[in-house]
Amino acid sequence: MKPRPRTSTPRRLLSAGIGLVVLSVLVFVNRPMVAFGADALHDFSINRESYKQKYGHWSRLPVPQGFRVNAIHAALLNTGKVLIVAGSGNNRDNFEAGTFRTVLYDPAKDSFSEVPTPTDVFCAGHTFLPNGNLLIAGGTKSYEVLEKNITHAAGVMKIKNESATGGPRAFPKGTTLLSADGTAYRTRDDLTVPAATTMKHGDEVMTHAGAAEVWVDAVADGDGPIVDHPAQYTVSGLTGADKRNIYGLADKITREKQEYGGDKTSYEFDPRTERYVRTGDMVEHRWYPTLAEMPGGDVLAVSGLDEFGRMLPGHNERYLKDQRRWVDAPELKRVFPTYPALHLMKDGKLFFSGSNAGYGSDTEGRTPGLWNLKNNTFKEVPGLRDPRMTETSSSVLLPPAQDQKVMIFGGGEVGESAVSTARTAVADLDQPAPVYEPGPDLPHPARYLSTVILPDDTVFTTGGSSGYRGGRYGDKTRSDLFNAQIYRPGTGKFETAAESSVGRNYHSEALLLPDGRVITMGSDPLYDPSGRNPGTFEQRIEVYSPPYLFKGDRPVIGGAPEAVQRGTTFAVATPDAGRVRTARLVRPSAVTHVTDLDQRSVALDITPATGGLALSVPKARGLVPSGWYMLFLTDAEGVPSVGRWIRVR
Ligand SMILES: [Cu+2]
């Protein structure tokens, strides 16, 4: 161990004192210098070594112009690089131009590179697979249209085919449908309607019409073509039996707001080739789905908006990782709001913390609870204060994962509501009848708070805003929060951390880097500071160095196996065996909309061994899902090693 050279304490105090005196004089005698003086004093304070040791330190990451993107999704790959995905980046011009972006940031080399992005993965779901690839599914097929911009009536029409003999029928984009009074509507896409199917029930033959849905637009502008009730439509050009057998049905055709429409494409992002590799499509189109790891390593896609912007009514599906394809999962039908936070627990159940982002029923599917995938039962977990304020909250499986405790932070009421909460709560899911117990309040009510598990068994929380998308809260037009804090599960308290200098609200993310720092990105305010004009997407990136990086030498991992088996013990070489107190496998983050279901920290039992330590990996797959982890050795002062990548099989 070689101690890091340091200025001696008395010298540091002396220089600090002189600096303070000089700055104070500037502040008092030179009025025009006041602002500069205060800033300089602040700069001076936050750059003192003693300050960093207590609160940590933020720095701005210089991002070359060509790599500044709207960070909507971020994931740490097992190459140590950060995948930053924008897709169209919530920018209509990009969407219409087909400009979809993904960049990779390599923190080890401090370099960026561009990755070709085949479709608009904006607002897809993602999770890491056991092989280390990032499964990314869903995204954006169409952008929302606000009511004020809608010039003509439109809606979803179901085209039905009662004929079992004519085969599937294709209708090109622009096919006209007519209402009873002759009003014309045109289809927006090509469409194939399957033939009817027949089934024998005893002597009776039952016909089930084939059906397919398509978006239709009224040919004429204005309110005339609005139909506010279910009605039938004829397909223009069909005659005879065709005209009787094939027709359209629509619940309503209106000039209401059109929501974003989901996509069904799916990829595995390969960290080695750094490319998107197409898999089979999803069964459903999904915008804002959660991809949750299942106990066996397959993945469940849950919730989302369909291609017409409608909430999927509990239709979930699973990814068969070995076949690289999606299959319907009607046995797991269950309604959740969009981006539900589903944490994999030790026994294979998924805990829905209540956290979610954006859309869904006001009432159905918002109650926290344990979802048993074996029999599709759901056991509610009661006790959450402010239960109506779970939208835009965040939640995390507290470290170590063995404690089986999930904590929820902040959140707001459903939709564009001015109401948000500072509440936190912790559920101990190892209890036979788990309940949410109150945790300490956050310093301010917060939506979109980022939560990052650190290697020293604490949780760093940063960013967020009190108002909806950084907007008005109380008497302020902007409500970004710059305070950061570290939650210590051992004491159940928050400790103040250094303040960030960039506000982060909607569409922002933070994740742990292998070197123990935290990177923060994104933010998508609805309005500019005046509160009247549209906001600008935040493209600056910051990096936070926690206090443990200013406390001296870090334990060193000299050698470790590349892969280990669950339930076995492996050896690590370290010259610091004597001072290491904990060993953790930290699973890398894959985060969007402050929902990060991948990150978790698993405790390894430590025993002394020649030349280092022997570490034991727990047996339960629900505790340690297969995949890549960062191994951190941490000393009694909470100073962690640099993370070393290990694959758990
Ligand atoms: Cu979004």
Side-chain angles (χ1 to χ4, degrees):
M1 275 191 295
K2 219 169 47 187
R4 196 157 51 102
R6 275 192 196 170
T7 324
S8 71
T9 305
R11 255 183 67 193
R12 276 185 295 134
L13 283 178
L14 186 65
S15 63
I18 291 168
L20 277 171
V21 169
V22 170
L23 287 163
S24 310
V25 169
L26 277 175
V27 169
F28 280 108
V29 300
N30 197 336
R31 285 191 69 84
M33 291 287 283
V34 166
F36 168 76
D39 281 354
L41 180 59
H42 176 72
D43 268 6
F44 172 77
S45 305
I46 63 171
N47 285 301
R48 272 182 309 165
E49 209 57 24
S50 59
Y51 186 93
K52 294 179 186 174
Q53 283 170 12
K54 192 154 183 215
Y55 303 108
H57 185 72
W58 288 91
S59 57
R60 203 71 65 74
L61 183 72
V63 184
Q65 181 67 46
F67 297 106
R68 291 177 199 165
V69 296
N70 296 359
I72 307 277
H73 311 262
L76 177 67
L77 307 177
N78 60 54
T79 52
K81 295 184 186 177
V82 182
L83 184 73
I84 305 172
V85 179
S88 60
N90 206 15
N91 178 308
R92 186 184 302 274
D93 293 342
N94 286 346
F95 178 74
E96 284 168 4
T99 304
F100 312 132
R101 299 287 305 276
T102 302
V103 300
L104 276 168
Y105 169 60
D106 184 350
K109 297 201 180 105
D110 213 11
S111 64
F112 287 84
S113 58
E114 179 87 24
V115 173
T117 311
T119 57
D120 193 5
V121 285
F122 165 58
C123 292
H126 35 63
T127 189
F128 280 110
L129 295 168
N131 64 6
N133 288 353
L134 184 70
L135 179 66
I136 304 178
T140 305
K141 194 180 170 198
S142 58
Y143 262 57
E144 68 175 0
V145 188
L146 300 178
E147 202 164 330
K148 62 176 186 190
N149 297 327
I150 293 178
T151 54
H152 61 265
V156 180
M157 197 172 285
K158 185 177 274 182
I159 313 292
K160 297 191 92 171
N161 182 0
E162 304 268 8
S163 168
T165 55
R169 299 292 295 266
F171 297 97
K173 175 181 171 175
T175 296
T176 303
L177 288 116
L178 300 166
S179 70
D181 69 3
T183 308
Y185 306 87
R186 279 201 193 116
T187 58
R188 203 178 274 188
D189 281 300
D190 294 343
L191 181 74
T192 300
V193 188
T197 51
T198 52
M199 273 210 296
K200 264 200 169 160
H201 294 281
D203 289 344
E204 243 178 302
V205 177
M206 302 274 288
T207 302
H208 296 272
E213 289 182 317
V214 66
W215 193 269
V216 298
D217 295 287
V219 173
D221 279 353
D223 288 346
I226 289 177
V227 183
D228 59 4
H229 53 86
Q232 190 165 329
Y233 300 78
T234 55
V235 181
S236 177
L238 295 186
T239 54
D242 266 0
K243 191 173 180 177
R244 282 194 304 279
N245 284 331
I246 302 170
Y247 54 89
L249 290 175
D251 284 341
K252 55 181 183 174
I253 296 179
T254 71
R255 287 179 64 183
E256 289 164 9
K257 180 191 178 196
Q258 296 163 12
E259 295 290 357
Y260 287 87
D263 195 14
K264 67 192 325 186
T265 48
S266 166
Y267 302 92
E268 287 190 19
F269 188 87
D270 185 334
R272 281 149 295 274
T273 60
E274 301 183 343
R275 288 292 178 270
Y276 288 90
V277 181
R278 189 93 178 240
T279 73
D281 283 351
M282 281 198 290
V283 176
E284 300 281 357
H285 295 76
R286 295 180 192 270
W287 195 76
Y288 277 47
T290 285
L291 266 49
E293 167 140 14
M294 300 177 75
D298 284 348
V299 172
L300 195 59
V302 180
S303 188
L305 303 189
D306 72 7
E307 64 181 311
F308 305 116
R310 299 173 300 191
M311 272 303 294
L312 285 162
H315 294 169
N316 303 317
E317 60 188 284
R318 68 167 82 207
Y319 183 68
L320 308 177
K321 67 175 172 29
D322 297 328
Q323 301 174 32
R324 296 198 164 189
R325 66 188 184 99
W326 291 91
V327 292
D328 200 6
E331 73 283 5
L332 291 172
K333 183 170 180 178
R334 187 159 294 280
V335 172
F336 291 100
T338 50
Y339 282 136
L342 298 165
H343 299 273
L344 177 63
M345 306 310 294
K346 188 168 66 184
D347 60 5
K349 293 191 185 93
L350 294 179
F351 174 57
F352 172 51
S353 68
S355 294
N356 68 90
Y359 298 77
S361 158
D362 287 7
T363 48
E364 195 184 4
R366 288 187 181 262
T367 308
L370 281 161
W371 186 13
N372 186 341
L373 302 180
K374 287 188 185 130
N375 54 13
N376 193 22
T377 54
F378 190 85
K379 185 179 171 186
E380 292 187 1
V381 170
L384 184 63
R385 287 180 297 148
D386 293 339
R388 290 164 49 82
M389 288 186 246
T390 53
E391 195 162 288
T392 62
S393 66
S394 56
S395 62
V396 68
L397 178 64
L398 289 175
Q402 278 89 341
D403 287 353
Q404 294 287 284
K405 287 180 178 171
V406 170
M407 184 164 183
I408 183 169
F409 304 77
E413 280 192 352
V414 174
E416 198 174 333
S417 158
V419 180
S420 62
T421 178
R423 156 287 274 122
T424 73
V426 179
D428 179 352
L429 297 151
D430 244 357
Q431 299 298 319
V435 293
Y436 262 122
E437 303 277 2
D441 275 358
L442 292 158
H444 305 283
R447 291 170 175 269
Y448 326 104
L449 193 74
S450 281
T451 53
V452 180
I453 297 172
L454 301 181
D456 65 348
D457 286 351
T458 61
V459 178
F460 178 61
T461 71
T462 179
S465 64
S466 295
Y468 181 80
R469 292 183 65 178
R472 184 174 292 283
Y473 193 76
D475 53 3
K476 294 198 202 100
T477 55
R478 283 298 296 271
S479 59
D480 283 338
L481 298 167
F482 298 92
N483 56 285
Q485 42 283 318
I486 291 172
Y487 178 73
R488 204 168 282 280
T491 63
K493 290 196 173 106
F494 284 112
E495 292 166 8
T496 303
E499 286 195 355
S500 62
S501 66
V502 178
R504 309 256 179 223
N505 51 70
Y506 193 50
H507 291 153
S508 65
E509 49 281 320
L511 57 80
L512 177 71
L513 296 173
D515 61 14
R517 296 179 301 160
V518 173
I519 188 167
T520 70
M521 290 161 276
S523 190
D524 198 354
L526 196 51
Y527 298 109
D528 77 349
S530 75
R532 285 186 295 275
N533 310 309
T536 310
F537 202 105
E538 177 57 69
Q539 295 185 328
R540 289 174 296 176
I541 295 178
E542 278 189 301
V543 176
Y544 175 71
S545 298
Y548 54 55
L549 294 178
F550 302 96
K551 290 184 175 169
D553 266 0
R554 305 176 69 171
V556 171
I557 301 175
E562 269 178 35
V564 298
Q565 204 76 40
R566 248 189 315 276
T568 64
T569 298
F570 66 97
V572 290
T574 171
D576 302 311
R579 62 185 259 240
V580 167
R581 290 291 172 277
T582 66
R584 298 287 181 261
L585 286 179
V586 177
R587 196 164 188 239
S589 284
V591 57
T592 188
H593 295 73
V594 301
T595 306
D596 182 355
L597 304 169
D598 283 64
Q599 68 166 340
R600 63 173 56 213
S601 173
V602 182
L604 306 180
D605 282 341
I606 302 181
T607 43
T610 320
L613 299 163
L615 307 176
S616 304
V617 188
K619 234 188 232 143
R621 187 162 189 166
L623 210 50
V624 203
S626 299
W628 290 81
Y629 290 79
M630 292 173 281
L631 171 67
F632 287 97
L633 299 180
T634 301
D635 73 11
E637 303 299 310
V639 178
S641 65
V642 169
R644 186 183 178 98
W645 289 100
I646 290 186
R647 183 174 180 180
V648 175
R649 292 180 187 277

